[in-house]
Amino acid sequence: NEQLAIPQLRQSSYRHETPPTNPSRRCLHLGYFGGKRLHKISWSAPKPSPLTRSAPMAKLAIFFTLTLSLLPFLSHSFSPDTPTDRRILVLLDDFSLKSSHSIFFTSLKSRGFDLDFKLADDPKLSLQRYGQYLYDGLILFAPSVERFGGALDVAAVLDFVDSGHDLIVAADTTASDLIKSVATECGVDFDEDPSAMVIDHQGYAVSDVDGDHTLIAADELIRSDVILGKTKIEAPVLFKGIAHSLNAANTLALKVLSGSPSAYSANPSAKLSSPPSLTGSAISLVSVVQARNNARIMISGSLDLFSNRYMKSSVQKAGSPSKYEKSGNEQFVTEVSKWLFHERGHLKAGNLRHLKVGETGEPAMYRIKDDLEFYVDIFEWSGNSWEPYVADDVQVQFYMMSPYVLKTLSTDKKGLYHTSFKVPDVYGVFQFKVEYQKLGYTSLSLSKQIPVRPFRHNEYERFIPTAFPYYGASFTTMAGFFIFSVVYLYNK
Amino acid sequence: MASPESAVNGPTMTAGAASKSLRNAFGGVIAFIILVLIGVLAFSIRLFSVIKYESVIHEFDPYFNYRVTQFLSKNGIYDFWNWFDDRTWYPLGRVIGGTVYPGLTLTAGTIWKVVNSLNIPLSVETVCVFTAPIFSAFASWAAYLLTKEVKGPGAGLTAAALLAMVPSYISRSVAGSYDNEAVAIFALVFTFYLYIKTLNTGSLFYATLNALAYFYMVCSWGGYTFIINLIPMHVLLCIVTGRYSSRLYIAYAPLVVLGTLLASLVPVVGFNAVLTSEHFASFLVFIIIHVVALAYYIKGILSPKMFKVAVTLVVSVGLAVCCAVIAILIAVVASSPTKGWSGRSLTLLDPTYASKYIPIIASVSEHQPPTWPSYFMDINVLAFLVPAGIIACFMPLTDSSSFVILYIVTSVYFSGVMVRLMLVLAPAACILSGIALSEAFNVLTRSIKFQLPGIAGNPSIASEENGSSTVVAPNDIPKTEEAAKEKPAKKNRKKEKENVEKKPTPSKTEKRLLVLPLEASVIAVLLLVLLGAFYVVHCVWAAAEAYSAPSIVLTSHSNDGGLHVFDDFREAYSWLSHNTDVDDKVASWWDYGYQTTAMANRTVLVDNNTWNNTHIATVGTAMSSPEKQAWEIFHSLDVKYVLVVFGGVVGYPSDDINKFLWMVRIGGGVFPHIKEPDYLRDGQYRIDAQATPTMLNCLMYKLSYFRFVETDGKGFDRVRRTEIGKKHFKLTHFEEVFTTHHWMVRIYKLKPQRNRIRGKTKKSKSSRSVSSKRDVRGKRNPWH
């Protein structure tokens, strides 16, 4: 028994070995602070290659920090100098989509992306090699594929997302269970009826033939400059496809393009026997998901949304007098893809620091009622460079089980946020917490632990004026007793 | 034991003055040597743990004391005083300097410093390990002094020898048991000695020393309230029995004034010294003794007639003052929620209080009432000798012997309430047994001596008896003689001071009764020696076998006589210290808090200093909640790892499942959604197939029994002696990161929050992370 048990013990202690990584590459990238996928960014000075420590002794934290921060770089994900480095795998049902959706692909290429087109059932399909991802993004334009080729399956796609990569999924009426399960795992539920489509008898797009109102001119867009860009999308977006819904409790998913109140999801060629399960604005046409590791996912119920035909066609919404020469599809798709591939709305924060007013250098511990100053840097990725992020709603919490201090930070418009406050009259282990979750932006969650101690024995006020009567009383008593003793002893 | 008696009693009977003084000196030297030997005995009998195991700190609380001592020796006394510890009670922290009794730490720190300044390079740990044995030698000597004051040096030596090896005290003071009690018992006995000494001499010098000793006791242990209640009780007893004297006043009044002032200097006591009910008795008696003193003074200066007038005046005024004071006291006491008494003290008065109201006190094993076997185990034959000692104290009844009687009576009561207070009983039992043994030997050896043919003549026994009484009586009466150092003379002198007229008659009858037939005496002496031998054998056995285990290292004997060592605790703690980040928080039941901070140096949520019931209840609630809720609770407290102790594989009974009822009770006491009946089937906690679903789904069950079925294929729990109810299950929010060799400690890590939130429809099950899959596969079961 005993001997058998020893390997088990060893194994457990070695379990947290750091994986082998290419040392040269690590050195290249260690200096760069903050990865785009970081939850907590530590801005400590580059550690002197902690990976070279003996493996079993390597601390867990170092392991996690490094893995988190290295993975994006190792896969050429988001280098600030060469964003064009990004490689995207596009999986297609057949290569004709390459030409029929060429405007979308061209716009991506023109923005510097390196597209790799493959058939979804290509037997050599693989997202990673030797444990490293070959791509930074995945576009699934293969709604009808039942099984991916090669090593790819649902779990592999999800692992790809969970390691911080982006994903576009476009479904269709022909959407397979595979595509639907990918969407479900991301928190998007497609209508379970395989023949259902989104029908809208009010918000359909006027066309030459009066069809079944499944071509929808959707204009219920999310109001977010970050996701959809600053220029307003005037023309409605043409949509023809299937509906999906989001769980209201899912805080990560957003409806970017939702159905009008009169939309519903049903089979257009059959008579409605029962009320449709998805109706009105519960229907989402296009959704985006930002995972907790800030990987971004776009799920569209329509593949045609991206097609050249829809982008070029003119559009007039039923009942609306205005007719647009060009649909909003191109602008919509381009802007969303910009957001999706982190060209916009990507924040990084770090360099959390604090100091006691009037001192330099960060103390290891504060005392209650100290005055302190707090600084944090926040930058936004502009597509080419890190620009200062300017907002007036960033807040810092001084937190111990609940926020004792909640202060809005003021910025100097150069990326530096600052505030000062007094430590509350409570001792304990506090945290400076910056939790910044703003629609469309990557969520920032930074914290730094700092203990707050009570007064030392000699930090209290020495002589309190209100206690002077007591001091007087005790000293007069002493003097009186002394005089009394003298009188009593030496006076007959 | 027999030797001190004969050595000291020998001179008593001598007639020649020259040979007497020689024998006195001789006896003094022998007594001194015996005391040294007793000290060596007390020290060395406590070294079994070091010899059998190793020189380590034991159990739980000593680890905290050790950590504090390390801090003190590194940072100095001011930093220790102001130490705010951010590594425990996360995120509340603990002000160590203000919540700890610093006596033990300061003592060991001083010893360490002195030893190091003498260029003896001892580590702090070594000093801590050996502090308790050193102080038990001191305690034996203090017991000698105290008993000597009460009944003379013979009884003192016997008591010291008994105390040196009483198992009850050994259990708390073996080498490595670095706890407050180790020094507190010495302080307790020494304080009592100085009180008796002051009472006997009326010296203000001893009174001041007494206050200082009391201060040391206050520094060392919360048990100081025993002193500050027992001494007023004795003073009251003396006053009521008409034994008031100026010596009593000197023994008591300075103690209250100086002692209270000094006590309030200790940060952990502070204003409690005047605010809590535990101290009120001393103030009340302080007032009473002044009233009585005033009455005696007035009686002295007034004529009897005037005195009567004065009495009525004083009594009426005194009554008024007393009423006022009592009214104020009642008002103050009633205004505080616990009536001014702390939970532990209320437990003393009403043993059922804690189990009814404070599960956190009731849950501690040392706060349980003891069983009769534990009396026999802990004080052995002393339990039978104590009544004899009490009787011996009654003849003659002096101030000091009445104090000893009071001491034994109260400590017997308190030990009946809490096992832990057996420790207070032990010195009293030793003192009284010492007195009993010494008196018995006194009588028996004298009987033998007077009947031995060589020494006295051969007349009848009856005439010899008369002769002996006449011989002794003249010895007693001339109390002004120089030879008054001897025990009976001294005793009589004391007594004589108070009531001279009473003395001769009792001593005469006493002496006449106490001469027994020669054969009976010889046999009785032999029996007593045999009794003492049994006691020694028992004590050595207790010290070697029962009380030497350090409890962090366990051993068991296998069938073939081999020794198997379970070192799982240190294995787990060192895993934590090597594999987790310095600032990671480890959640466990509070028993393991001190050890985790001291040995693994990781931040814990709760520890053995149970100052915040709510925080403990939070951990208890998490442990008794389903996985998801538990994860949320722990996550909100920044916990990274959860540590559980599990004895089901090797049959280690004090594991977390057996403590689980307290987690439920304490948790449910604060968070009412935890209901104890949900965990009970037929009024019992069960983990077998009969267990309730709540039980089978709670975190503690899951963390304890995760993969347990892989050990033997059936999931048979060796502690509960049953097969577990739910054998195959997976953890969703926790992952196992480490399990020790014998599965006694299991460490789990909180899984990070899901990266994505899944949709409603469940079609695939691929959300589990790859790493956890690998863990499950890679972990091989050591028991196959």
Side-chain angles (χ1 to χ4, degrees):
Chain A
N1 270 358
E2 245 185 288
Q3 286 193 332
L4 272 176
I6 289 165
Q8 176 251 339
L9 195 136
R10 275 227 184 103
Q11 207 167 13
S12 10
S13 55
Y14 287 154
R15 191 169 305 138
H16 295 283
E17 268 183 43
T18 40
T21 35
N22 184 345
S24 62
R25 189 166 275 166
R26 180 189 351 118
C27 295
L28 262 176
H29 293 289
L30 257 179
Y32 163 61
F33 54 38
K36 72 160 183 170
R37 307 292 191 257
L38 278 193
H39 258 303
K40 292 189 181 182
I41 305 169
S42 60
W43 273 34
S44 53
K47 289 167 183 134
S49 87
L51 285 187
T52 53
R53 288 186 197 170
S54 64
M57 301 288 285
K59 296 276 158 65
L60 263 182
I62 296 171
F63 165 71
F64 281 121
T65 328
L66 281 179
T67 338
L68 279 177
S69 55
L70 284 183
L71 273 175
F73 308 137
L74 293 179
S75 51
H76 294 265
S77 119
F78 204 60
S79 161
D81 309 322
T82 51
T84 47
D85 242 353
R86 303 195 58 188
R87 289 168 305 169
I88 292 167
L89 176 66
V90 185
L91 292 184
L92 305 170
D93 268 343
D94 67 90
F95 280 123
S96 66
L97 279 171
K98 210 171 155 181
S99 52
S100 65
H101 292 60
S102 62
I103 296 180
F104 174 59
F105 294 134
T106 318
S107 94
L108 286 181
K109 275 181 191 158
S110 69
R111 276 158 36 209
F113 293 99
D114 186 7
L115 302 186
D116 191 358
F117 294 94
K118 282 199 173 137
L119 281 179
D121 48 5
D122 186 339
K124 279 187 263 172
L125 217 53
S126 175
L127 284 175
Q128 54 178 334
R129 186 181 296 155
Y130 308 130
Q132 292 180 17
Y133 281 104
L134 302 167
Y135 305 98
D136 311 314
L138 176 64
I139 297 176
L140 282 178
F141 275 0
S144 59
V145 65
E146 293 293 341
R147 257 188 71 115
F148 293 120
L152 201 62
D153 56 1
V154 176
V157 172
L158 294 168
D159 280 343
F160 182 72
V161 171
D162 287 343
S163 50
H165 302 98
D166 307 319
L167 174 68
I168 296 178
V169 181
D172 208 340
T173 41
T174 60
S176 63
D177 281 351
L178 180 74
I179 295 297
K180 282 185 178 175
S181 68
V182 170
T184 305
E185 287 295 333
C186 298
V188 169
D189 298 309
F190 278 111
D191 194 344
E192 279 173 52
D193 182 359
S195 52
M197 289 179 81
V198 185
I199 306 172
D200 192 339
H201 297 302
Q202 304 268 317
Y204 61 92
V206 176
S207 61
D208 303 338
V209 282
D210 193 23
D212 47 10
H213 299 166
T214 53
L215 179 65
I216 290 162
D219 51 5
E220 305 258 330
L221 294 163
I222 191 169
R223 282 196 208 96
S224 166
D225 285 354
V226 187
I227 297 176
L228 294 180
K230 289 210 167 50
T231 27
K232 192 164 180 278
I233 300 175
E234 299 287 347
V237 177
L238 285 173
F239 181 94
K240 182 173 190 171
I242 55 177
H244 61 259
S245 63
L246 303 177
N247 184 355
N250 190 341
T251 51
L252 304 175
L254 297 169
K255 288 178 203 165
V256 180
L257 186 64
S258 42
S260 72
S262 56
Y264 64 96
S265 171
N267 187 349
S269 52
K271 264 200 132 176
L272 266 181
S273 52
S274 58
S277 55
L278 280 175
T279 53
S281 44
I283 291 180
S284 174
L285 307 176
V286 177
S287 302
V288 293
V289 177
Q290 181 168 272
R292 290 208 168 88
N293 63 354
N294 290 331
R296 288 174 177 172
I297 302 158
M298 174 187 184
I299 291 165
S300 161
S302 162
L303 178 57
D304 293 337
L305 184 83
F306 300 89
S307 69
N308 297 354
R309 193 162 62 86
Y310 279 22
M311 287 185 187
K312 283 180 188 158
S313 82
S314 61
V315 62
Q316 183 183 7
K317 194 175 174 179
S320 159
S322 49
K323 182 178 164 109
Y324 299 93
E325 280 307 306
K326 199 160 170 274
S327 71
N329 284 36
E330 184 172 1
Q331 195 188 353
F332 174 76
V333 163
T334 312
E335 295 298 335
V336 173
S337 72
K338 275 185 185 166
W339 177 83
L340 192 88
F341 291 119
H342 293 273
E343 286 167 67
R344 204 166 45 220
H346 189 96
L347 301 179
K348 72 162 185 190
N351 209 359
L352 222 69
R353 56 206 184 277
H354 51 87
L355 44 93
K356 207 169 153 182
V357 171
E359 288 183 10
T360 54
E362 205 162 280
M365 189 183 259
Y366 283 107
R367 197 197 65 193
I368 54 171
K369 296 179 172 176
D370 267 350
D371 290 303
L372 64 84
E373 296 190 44
F374 174 80
Y375 300 92
V376 65
D377 294 341
I378 304 179
F379 292 95
E380 183 181 8
W381 179 248
S382 70
N384 301 311
S385 59
W386 289 104
E387 301 291 339
Y389 176 67
V390 179
D392 57 358
D393 54 0
V394 187
Q395 289 183 321
V396 62
Q397 304 173 27
F398 200 57
Y399 182 93
M400 183 180 76
M401 298 206 279
S402 60
Y404 278 75
V405 173
L406 182 63
K407 284 278 247 185
T408 305
L409 299 170
S410 57
T411 177
D412 65 349
K413 320 245 177 210
K414 286 175 191 158
L416 180 67
Y417 284 78
H418 160 258
T419 190
S420 60
F421 56 89
K422 190 187 265 300
V423 177
D425 192 3
V426 178
Y427 56 81
V429 184
F430 281 82
Q431 283 174 319
F432 291 106
K433 266 195 177 184
V434 177
E435 297 275 353
Y436 189 63
Q437 271 137 3
K438 199 172 176 183
L439 182 68
Y441 286 99
T442 51
S443 55
L444 297 177
S445 171
L446 290 89
S447 64
K448 193 170 204 176
Q449 178 176 318
I450 182 85
V452 173
R453 62 167 174 83
F455 286 119
R456 285 174 66 91
H457 68 278
N458 52 3
E459 283 173 339
Y460 291 96
E461 210 177 337
R462 195 59 189 247
F463 294 105
I464 315 166
T466 43
F468 280 146
Y470 297 94
Y471 304 145
S474 44
F475 282 109
T476 47
T477 308
M478 278 189 249
F481 182 71
F482 181 73
I483 294 165
F484 170 78
S485 311
V486 168
V487 169
Y488 184 81
L489 291 175
Y490 300 107
N491 202 358
K492 289 271 161 124
Chain B
M1 245 157 288
S3 54
E5 260 62 52
S6 51
V8 183
N9 290 334
T12 322
M13 297 301 147
T14 50
S19 69
K20 189 195 283 172
S21 65
L22 186 70
R23 284 204 186 185
N24 273 341
F26 189 61
V29 168
I30 291 225
F32 177 76
I33 292 171
I34 289 168
L35 275 180
V36 170
L37 288 178
I38 285 174
V40 171
L41 171 69
F43 182 81
S44 51
I45 201 172
R46 288 166 167 82
L47 297 188
F48 277 108
S49 61
V50 174
I51 293 160
K52 287 183 68 183
Y53 296 88
E54 52 189 298
S55 175
V56 285
I57 308 283
H58 291 196
E59 295 198 312
F60 305 105
D61 288 21
Y63 268 96
F64 170 75
N65 296 325
Y66 170 49
R67 183 164 162 257
V68 175
T69 315
Q70 272 183 318
F71 185 89
L72 170 71
S73 59
K74 208 160 77 188
N75 298 1
I77 186 159
Y78 281 105
D79 278 345
F80 164 57
W81 185 3
N82 293 305
W83 186 15
F84 174 70
D85 188 5
D86 58 347
R87 300 195 69 77
T88 179
W89 290 95
Y90 181 87
L92 306 167
R94 177 183 172 194
V95 186
I96 299 269
T99 57
V100 81
Y101 285 100
L104 175 75
T105 317
L106 291 178
T107 308
T110 314
I111 295 175
W112 179 80
K113 206 158 191 185
V114 167
V115 162
N116 271 271
S117 66
L118 296 174
N119 285 329
I120 305 170
L122 287 182
S123 68
V124 177
E125 190 183 3
T126 314
V127 172
C128 293
V129 166
F130 292 103
T131 300
I134 291 171
F135 269 80
S136 41
F138 292 168
S140 311
W141 295 334
Y144 163 76
L145 292 173
L146 172 58
T147 322
K148 193 179 127 202
E149 281 303 311
V150 179
K151 279 284 174 184
L157 287 173
T158 322
L162 292 176
L163 185 66
M165 48 190 174
V166 64
S168 170
Y169 186 26
I170 285 179
S171 73
R172 289 315 188 100
S173 63
V174 291
S177 184
Y178 179 54
D179 210 346
N180 289 338
E181 289 91 333
V183 298
I185 293 303
F186 158 70
L188 180 84
V189 178
F190 197 62
T191 311
F192 286 155
Y193 157 67
L194 285 170
Y195 170 70
I196 296 294
K197 184 84 183 170
T198 323
L199 197 57
N200 284 343
T201 58
S203 147
L204 205 51
F205 170 69
Y206 284 113
T208 317
L209 281 190
N210 190 19
L212 288 175
Y214 173 67
F215 175 55
Y216 185 65
M217 178 69 190
V218 177
C219 282
S220 309
W221 195 32
Y224 74 91
T225 46
F226 182 63
I227 296 181
I228 205 61
N229 282 301
L230 181 62
I231 290 181
M233 272 167 74
H234 179 244
V235 170
L236 205 58
L237 184 78
C238 286
I239 291 173
V240 167
T241 52
R243 288 167 169 271
Y244 172 80
S245 64
S246 58
R247 288 174 291 105
L248 187 68
Y249 182 85
I250 289 171
Y252 185 66
L255 175 68
V256 172
V257 176
L258 290 177
T260 306
L261 280 178
L262 289 168
S264 57
L265 292 183
V266 181
V268 62
V269 178
F271 282 107
N272 284 350
V274 286
L275 285 181
T276 56
S277 310
E278 284 100 330
H279 305 81
F280 284 173
S282 63
F283 300 133
L284 202 63
V285 173
F286 187 69
I287 294 168
I288 291 171
I289 199 172
H290 276 92
V291 171
V292 171
L294 192 67
Y296 273 82
Y297 177 71
I298 291 169
K299 193 179 182 181
I301 57 169
L302 290 184
S303 63
K305 200 178 172 188
M306 285 291 288
F307 181 66
K308 264 195 176 159
V309 181
V311 162
T312 45
L313 194 74
V314 166
V315 164
S316 51
V317 170
L319 272 182
V321 169
C322 278
C323 287
V325 167
I326 287 168
I328 291 170
L329 279 187
I330 288 172
V332 168
V333 166
S335 67
S336 70
T338 60
K339 309 286 175 235
W341 291 76
S342 66
R344 280 192 177 87
S345 312
L346 277 174
T347 310
L348 289 180
L349 297 179
D350 173 11
T352 59
Y353 177 84
S355 54
K356 274 191 290 194
Y357 300 110
I358 315 174
I360 202 148
I361 292 180
S363 73
V364 181
S365 61
E366 59 186 19
H367 292 163
Q368 305 292 331
T371 52
W372 168 243
S374 71
Y375 275 98
F376 190 75
M377 174 73 198
D378 275 358
I379 54 175
N380 201 249
V381 301
L382 306 188
F384 308 107
L385 290 173
V386 163
I390 295 176
I391 293 170
C393 281
F394 271 106
M395 20 184 233
L397 188 67
T398 61
D399 287 350
S400 46
S401 67
S402 68
F403 177 77
V404 174
I405 292 167
L406 205 59
Y407 178 21
I408 187 80
V409 169
T410 48
S411 62
V412 164
Y413 170 74
F414 288 144
S415 72
V417 177
M418 265 190 207
V419 161
R420 177 164 135 136
L421 293 178
M422 192 78 96
L423 202 55
V424 176
L425 168 68
C430 288
I431 290 163
L432 279 163
S433 307
I435 291 171
L437 273 181
S438 156
E439 292 288 312
F441 275 118
N442 211 350
V443 169
L444 295 172
T445 48
R446 197 181 323 112
S447 306
I448 294 169
K449 191 169 177 180
F450 279 105
Q451 291 166 73
L452 278 184
I455 291 178
N458 56 353
S460 70
I461 290 164
S463 67
E464 192 60 54
E465 274 172 34
N466 291 332
S468 80
S469 65
T470 45
V471 168
V472 175
N475 237 3
D476 287 349
I477 292 160
K479 56 263 163 204
T480 44
E481 265 183 22
E482 275 303 311
K485 267 185 187 167
E486 285 146 19
K487 178 193 62 176
K490 184 167 190 175
K491 196 199 320 167
N492 291 331
R493 183 184 59 176
K494 272 180 262 157
K495 202 170 48 171
E496 186 270 342
K497 274 186 177 170
E498 292 136 29
N499 32 16
V500 192
E501 69 289 339
K502 264 186 177 177
K503 196 173 54 60
T505 27
S507 81
K508 223 172 241 173
T509 53
E510 181 187 20
K511 292 285 151 40
R512 193 179 301 124
L513 285 173
L514 285 182
V515 174
L516 299 170
L518 176 66
E519 298 78 10
S521 305
V522 172
I523 288 168
V525 165
L526 284 177
L527 284 177
L528 280 181
V529 170
L530 204 63
L531 191 70
F534 275 128
Y535 176 72
V536 173
V537 168
H538 173 79
C539 290
V540 173
W541 173 82
E545 299 294 331
Y547 291 138
S548 62
S551 97
I552 56 160
V553 185
L554 307 167
T555 56
S556 75
H557 293 278
S558 52
N559 291 333
D560 54 355
L563 193 69
H564 194 83
V565 178
F566 301 89
D567 204 357
D568 286 35
F569 287 106
R570 290 196 291 185
E571 185 188 345
Y573 293 132
S574 76
W575 184 89
L576 275 177
S577 70
H578 285 113
N579 295 281
T580 59
D581 193 49
V582 178
D583 278 333
D584 282 347
K585 282 85 192 168
V586 181
S588 64
W589 190 232
W590 58 262
D591 293 25
Y592 314 105
Y594 278 164
Q595 291 184 348
T596 310
T597 39
M599 294 169 87
N601 192 21
R602 291 297 172 268
T603 310
V604 294
L605 296 190
V606 291
D607 66 25
N608 312 45
N609 171 267
T610 50
W611 68 272
N612 189 321
N613 190 33
T614 313
H615 218 51
I616 291 180
T618 309
V619 175
T621 306
M623 291 296 190
S624 24
S625 300
E627 244 186 285
K628 187 162 185 284
Q629 282 87 318
W631 186 91
E632 279 159 8
I633 293 172
F634 282 144
H635 185 72
S636 72
L637 291 168
D638 301 324
V639 170
K640 271 264 186 69
Y641 296 92
V642 181
L643 181 149
V644 294
V645 171
F646 172 59
V649 174
V650 290
Y652 171 63
S654 52
D655 65 351
D656 279 347
I657 290 283
N658 274 2
K659 291 171 185 170
F660 185 62
L661 86 153
W662 296 111
M663 305 184 198
V664 173
R665 278 186 202 166
I666 294 172
V670 177
F671 302 101
H673 69 275
I674 301 289
K675 295 184 191 69
E676 196 177 5
D678 294 347
Y679 299 84
L680 299 175
R681 177 80 74 201
D682 307 328
Q684 285 183 20
Y685 281 90
R686 308 183 66 139
I687 43 93
D688 55 5
Q690 302 283 308
T692 60
T694 321
M695 181 74 196
L696 294 179
N697 284 315
C698 73
L699 184 71
M700 183 44 77
Y701 180 90
K702 286 196 163 180
L703 297 191
S704 289
Y705 292 114
F706 179 61
R707 297 196 309 111
F708 178 55
V709 71
E710 292 169 28
T711 54
D712 57 357
K714 295 185 304 193
F716 184 80
D717 186 321
R718 292 228 223 146
V719 175
R720 267 65 59 177
R721 302 194 172 281
T722 175
E723 271 186 40
I724 59 171
K726 195 156 109 180
K727 296 175 183 173
H728 303 277
F729 54 87
K730 285 184 175 129
L731 297 176
T732 54
H733 291 74
F734 294 83
E735 61 179 312
E736 184 186 8
V737 288
F738 187 67
T739 294
T740 56
H741 188 165
H742 302 97
W743 286 53
M744 276 168 61
V745 185
R746 312 192 68 183
I747 302 172
Y748 292 83
K749 189 177 181 193
L750 270 74
K751 280 188 187 168
Q753 219 172 358
R754 280 247 182 81
N755 191 30
R756 294 162 280 108
I757 299 176
R758 288 187 64 230
K760 277 175 289 193
T761 39
K762 290 190 173 177
K763 273 175 188 165
S764 66
K765 45 175 177 56
S766 53
S767 59
R768 232 182 308 114
S769 75
V770 181
S771 63
S772 75
K773 268 188 223 159
R774 195 183 306 130
D775 278 357
V776 173
R777 270 203 306 271
K779 187 111 183 174
R780 209 168 299 136
N781 172 18
W783 297 90
H784 280 191

